């Protein structure tokens, strides 16, 4: 089992020391959240909280995801970074491929690229991208990422993107895993067909079990027998040794753990030293005993 530290919507200056503390504590990875804009008015609902409220996002210090990954890579040596998740179809995929390849080349392949659909129509509007057919656009973006991060000549002819063979250099020395976020059936199937893993966005244990069972069904339907397929989940079971074993038995490869509820209005008031203490205690009580 591997362990990923999740801390989002905190003070921007905390991220570097937290990444260093997570690395020292024995965590494998750290998530990096993605948010582009906060619209003044919106009827959209956030899909991963009970109420659907979005007000907790206002005035949070979101550093652009790939820039923050680059910054944190420069102050660590072994910690992996997993965007959770990059809103892919609102971005130019050729540019994202260049960013991802550059990061993975510079940080010695410490990037697991979590990708997903934005739940906010406003993200699409402000970026000049149609909301309609966003799933198909997502598929094409993933195809282009896969092709261009190989370092070989790659051309594409799809519904939304078309270009003659091109190459980007430098390329990473290992494949960048594409980890698909989302709870819909389409997202689960996309993770299997086009991705290298799936990222769970949270919820109760019963729902997680349903999603894991459905993911296993889809993998069987698609004839997927990969042993390196990644399954990243958020679960209360991750906070004790017996629970970690239960998750491992269910096929989970990576536990995502955090130590506060980030969905709160206003600034994060928890001091940095307390956050680091949470990391250290978890390392002693769980990671260090496995």
């Amino acid at each position: 089992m591997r362990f990923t530290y999740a801390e989002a919507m905190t003070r921007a200056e905390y991220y570097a020391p937290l990444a260093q503390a997570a690395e020292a504590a024995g965590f494998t990875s750290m998530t990096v959240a993605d948010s582009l804009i906060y619209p003044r008015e919106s009827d959209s609902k956030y899909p991963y909280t009970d109420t659907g409220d979005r007000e907790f996002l206002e005035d949070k210090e979101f550093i652009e995801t790939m820039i923050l990954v680059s910054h944190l890579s420069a102050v660590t040596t072994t910690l992996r970074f997993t965007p959770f998740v990059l809103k892919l179809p609102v971005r130019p995929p050729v540019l994202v491929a260049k960013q991802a390849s550059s990061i993975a080349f510079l940080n010695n392949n410490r990037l697991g690229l979590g990708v997903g659909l934005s739940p906010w129509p406003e993200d699409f509007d402000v970026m000049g991208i149609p909301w309609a057919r966003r799933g198909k656009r997502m598929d094409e973006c993933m195809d282009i990422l896969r092709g261009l991060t190989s370092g070989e000549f790659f051309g594409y002819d799809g519904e939304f993107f078309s270009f003659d063979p091109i190459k980007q250099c430098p390329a990473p020395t290992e494949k960048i895993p594409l980890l698909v976020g989302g709870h819909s059936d389409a997202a689960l199937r996309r993770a299997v067909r086009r991705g290298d893993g799936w990222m769970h966005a949270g919820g109760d244990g019963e729902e997680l079990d349903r999603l894991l069972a459905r993911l296993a069904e889809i993998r069987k339907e698609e004839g997927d027998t990969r042993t390196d397929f990644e399954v990243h989940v958020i679960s209360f079971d991750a906070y004790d040794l017996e629970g970690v074993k239960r998750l491992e038995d269910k096929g989970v490869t990576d536990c995502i753990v955090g130590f506060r509820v980030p969905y709160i209005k206003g600034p994060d008031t928890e001091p940095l030293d307390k956050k680091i203490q949470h990391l250290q205690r978890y390392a002693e009580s769980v990671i260090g005993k496995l």
Side-chain angles (χ1 to χ4, degrees):
M1 181 66 73
R2 297 176 300 222
F3 297 90
T4 299
Y5 173 51
E7 178 66 87
M9 292 177 278
T10 189
R11 294 170 59 175
E13 66 266 26
Y14 284 0
Y15 286 113
L18 286 173
Q20 292 171 325
E23 181 174 81
F27 283 82
T28 305
S29 304
M30 181 174 177
T31 62
V32 179
D34 184 33
S35 182
L36 293 173
I37 59 164
Y38 184 80
R40 179 179 293 177
E41 297 180 2
S42 175
D43 295 328
S44 302
K45 299 293 184 182
Y46 187 67
Y48 301 114
T49 58
D50 293 337
T51 63
D53 292 344
R54 67 185 184 97
E55 285 75 13
F56 64 88
L57 291 164
E58 187 174 6
D59 294 329
K60 293 300 195 301
E61 296 178 347
F62 282 99
I63 305 300
E64 196 283 323
T65 305
M66 302 301 264
I67 290 176
L68 184 54
V69 170
S70 299
H71 173 60
L72 299 180
S73 295
V75 298
T76 55
T77 57
T78 62
L79 195 67
R80 186 191 197 205
F81 298 98
T82 51
F84 190 46
V85 288
L86 192 76
K87 297 173 175 65
L88 183 58
V90 301
R91 288 172 160 89
V94 175
L95 176 59
V96 176
K98 184 63 177 178
Q99 293 171 325
S101 288
S102 298
I103 289 171
F105 179 82
L106 289 172
N107 77 2
N108 194 27
N109 305 300
R110 292 186 287 132
L111 176 65
L113 189 56
V115 295
L117 291 170
S118 171
W120 312 116
E122 293 83 3
D123 280 344
F124 287 79
D125 289 342
V126 76
M127 296 298 288
I129 303 295
W131 174 256
R133 303 280 288 161
R134 59 194 178 279
K136 173 62 176 172
R137 183 183 294 271
M138 171 79 168
D139 290 341
E140 292 194 13
C141 288
M142 290 185 68
D143 291 344
I144 292 167
L145 277 179
R146 182 76 75 199
L148 288 179
T149 56
S150 71
E152 302 297 328
F153 279 106
F154 177 77
Y156 198 77
D157 186 15
E159 179 179 340
F160 300 104
F161 305 98
S162 181
F163 50 86
D164 292 333
I166 56 175
K167 180 190 287 189
Q168 294 181 331
C169 184
T173 56
E174 297 176 6
K175 180 179 73 172
I176 298 174
L178 299 181
L179 311 172
V180 178
H183 291 185
S184 69
D185 216 60
L188 296 175
R189 197 169 294 276
R190 183 174 291 118
V192 174
R193 285 182 172 176
R194 282 184 162 81
D196 303 290
W198 173 66
M199 300 189 84
H200 171 234
D204 62 40
E206 185 175 334
E207 173 67 1
L208 174 58
D209 285 345
R210 185 194 69 79
L211 290 166
L212 290 173
R214 182 60 184 139
L215 181 65
E217 288 176 359
I218 292 172
R219 293 191 67 188
K220 185 176 181 180
E221 292 169 6
E222 298 291 336
D224 181 18
T225 59
R226 287 173 291 178
T227 58
D228 59 351
F229 188 84
E230 300 184 28
V231 180
H232 297 237
V233 308
I234 301 169
S235 171
F236 286 120
D237 274 350
Y239 294 88
D240 65 68
L241 295 174
E242 291 184 0
V244 169
K245 181 62 168 61
R246 286 194 295 271
L247 291 173
E248 196 169 38
D249 290 343
K250 294 174 183 179
V252 173
T253 62
D254 296 75
C255 292
I256 302 171
V257 296
F259 306 102
R260 70 180 183 92
V261 177
Y263 304 121
I264 56 171
K265 296 179 184 180
D268 174 18
T269 59
E270 185 178 57
L272 176 61
D273 59 351
K274 187 172 182 180
K275 293 180 184 296
I276 293 175
Q277 288 170 16
H278 290 319
L279 282 168
Q280 293 170 339
R281 281 197 294 267
Y282 185 85
E284 292 170 0
S285 63
V286 178
I287 298 176
K289 293 185 177 180
L290 289 173

